[in-house]
Amino acid sequence: MDINNWSLVNTTQLETEEQKIYKNREKAITFYMQDIADLKEIRDQTGIDAKELRRFVRRCLEYDPSTHTIWGFRALIPRKRISGYVRKSPLESSPKSKENLNFNGAFTALLRKFPDIKKKITAAYLRRKDSSMRRQTLTSEEIHRYFLKLCEDEGISIHEYPFNTNDKAYRSLYRFFEKLEKSHFAEAAKLYGDESARQARLKGNNNDNENLLLRRPYQRVQFDGHKIDAIFTITFSTPEGDLITEVVERIWLLVIVDVATRAILGHHYALIKNTILMMYFNAFVIQ
């Protein structure tokens, strides 16, 4: 209730007309909360009547989960929407609101329930003869679309997994193929050319001896992402003039290391969540 503790507004970011409106609202709220003037005097000086004044007070006292405080004076900014920050619990959300749902183990459960899907995407990825998708150049997006088509054929609705996720299980499918390459090493090596297949047949899945032969720079590089165990906050001004403090939940250090010299060839910080980390990987490799 102490307005001295409310978040301040950078009015220089507002247009001239918006500054006038905001300052008039701030004056009315200040008079009301500090009991400087009664409702009639506030209306005479600001033009804001009792009904509108109480609405502004309720807005200022609304909780802002993004800053873990009340909105304060920021709620008085013209055309400022504060309802967008209120989110439903995942248990109460509709099929369309899937942002915070937990799908751990859902992909494995899906393949266990529909073994035919697992068999077909495995055959498609490894370019087996019994697959209907045996082209030499088959992108991950094409296999993902093929996977979704198989799910549709099994009668899975758009409100069920994987259709009710943001990426439609793209990342889960990617991890499945990574495990597939390890469990079917020689067969998966064919995807990278005849020479890779020949080396796989000769050496199998153990490449420790091969790493010892790497003596020249740029023979082989490794690319990986490392999650930094730290939490930071960033305070910034929005175009509307209010100060927002955001918590940086995940910080990833993406690095490319030369295997022979162990030199860091490139690095990049990504302040993102896991949902789009793969996009950063791809963009960083291209650069």
Side-chain angles (χ1 to χ4, degrees):
M1 301 298 291
D2 185 1
I3 65 174
N4 294 317
N5 297 325
W6 289 10
S7 299
L8 301 178
V9 173
N10 184 6
T11 56
T12 60
Q13 300 288 331
L14 303 177
E15 299 292 338
T16 303
E17 186 62 30
E18 291 179 339
Q19 289 185 23
K20 294 179 180 179
I21 297 175
Y22 168 78
K23 290 180 179 179
N24 193 53
R25 293 175 178 178
E26 183 185 44
K27 180 180 179 180
I29 291 294
T30 302
F31 283 1
Y32 180 81
M33 297 298 292
Q34 296 186 341
D35 200 19
I36 297 176
D38 57 27
L39 296 178
K40 182 178 183 302
E41 292 173 330
I42 294 176
R43 184 189 61 191
D44 293 340
Q45 294 190 42
T46 65
I48 299 177
D49 59 22
K51 182 178 180 181
E52 189 176 18
L53 179 63
R54 293 190 180 97
R55 182 175 68 86
F56 285 140
V57 171
R58 286 195 295 269
R59 283 175 59 88
C60 292
L61 297 179
E62 284 284 342
Y63 177 71
D64 177 12
S66 66
T67 61
H68 304 288
T69 61
I70 61 173
W71 278 94
F73 289 121
R74 295 179 294 129
L76 303 178
I77 298 174
R79 298 191 300 275
K80 181 69 176 178
R81 295 186 60 183
I82 65 175
S83 59
Y85 289 88
V86 180
R87 294 179 179 175
K88 296 180 180 179
S89 168
L91 297 178
E92 300 174 357
S93 61
S94 65
K96 293 184 179 180
S97 56
K98 60 216 177 190
E99 189 171 332
N100 295 322
L101 295 178
N102 187 351
F103 295 103
N104 291 336
F107 187 82
T108 302
L110 174 71
L111 298 186
R112 188 183 303 117
K113 183 177 181 180
F114 301 100
D116 195 46
I117 293 180
K118 179 179 181 179
K119 178 182 177 181
K120 290 183 178 180
I121 61 175
T122 299
Y125 185 76
L126 297 177
R127 316 297 196 269
R128 289 177 176 172
K129 294 181 179 180
D130 57 343
S131 174
S132 59
M133 303 181 69
R134 290 179 53 201
R135 299 198 310 275
Q136 191 63 30
T137 56
L138 193 62
T139 66
S140 56
E141 287 77 11
E142 289 177 316
I143 296 183
H144 182 239
R145 288 195 294 268
Y146 178 59
F147 164 70
L148 296 179
K149 178 63 169 58
L150 294 175
C151 292
E152 291 179 359
D153 294 342
E154 292 289 346
I156 300 176
S157 72
I158 60 174
H159 300 314
E160 297 178 293
Y161 185 88
F163 298 105
N164 61 348
T165 63
N166 291 329
D167 64 350
K168 293 182 174 56
Y170 182 89
R171 290 182 298 115
S172 299
L173 187 65
Y174 179 84
R175 289 192 294 266
F176 172 74
F177 289 148
E178 282 186 327
K179 295 178 181 179
L180 200 63
E181 289 191 1
K182 294 179 180 179
S183 60
H184 299 75
F185 179 73
E187 192 174 4
K190 299 177 182 178
L191 305 177
Y192 302 96
D194 296 336
E195 180 61 23
S196 296
R198 188 181 72 83
Q199 293 292 334
R201 289 194 300 269
L202 292 176
K203 301 180 180 181
N205 200 10
N206 186 3
N207 58 3
D208 293 338
N209 295 330
E210 184 180 356
N211 288 336
L212 297 177
L213 301 177
L214 297 174
R215 291 291 181 265
R216 290 182 291 106
Y218 305 111
Q219 277 186 283
R220 178 180 300 170
V221 298
Q222 295 175 339
F223 178 55
D224 200 3
H226 305 272
K227 182 178 180 293
I228 299 177
D229 293 325
I231 297 177
F232 298 89
T233 61
I234 300 177
T235 301
F236 56 92
S237 296
T238 68
E240 298 172 321
D242 54 335
L243 295 176
I244 298 293
T245 300
E246 290 286 353
V247 177
V248 181
E249 299 179 356
R250 292 177 177 84
I251 302 179
W252 288 87
L253 172 62
L254 312 181
V255 294
I256 291 184
V257 184
D258 181 73
V259 175
T261 64
R262 307 309 300 169
I264 304 297
L265 304 180
H267 72 280
H268 179 73
Y269 286 106
L271 310 180
I272 57 176
K273 297 184 178 181
N274 294 352
T275 52
I276 56 175
L277 184 61
M278 192 183 307
M279 297 170 58
Y280 271 79
F281 279 174
N282 296 334
F284 189 48
V285 170
I286 294 175
Q287 293 174 5

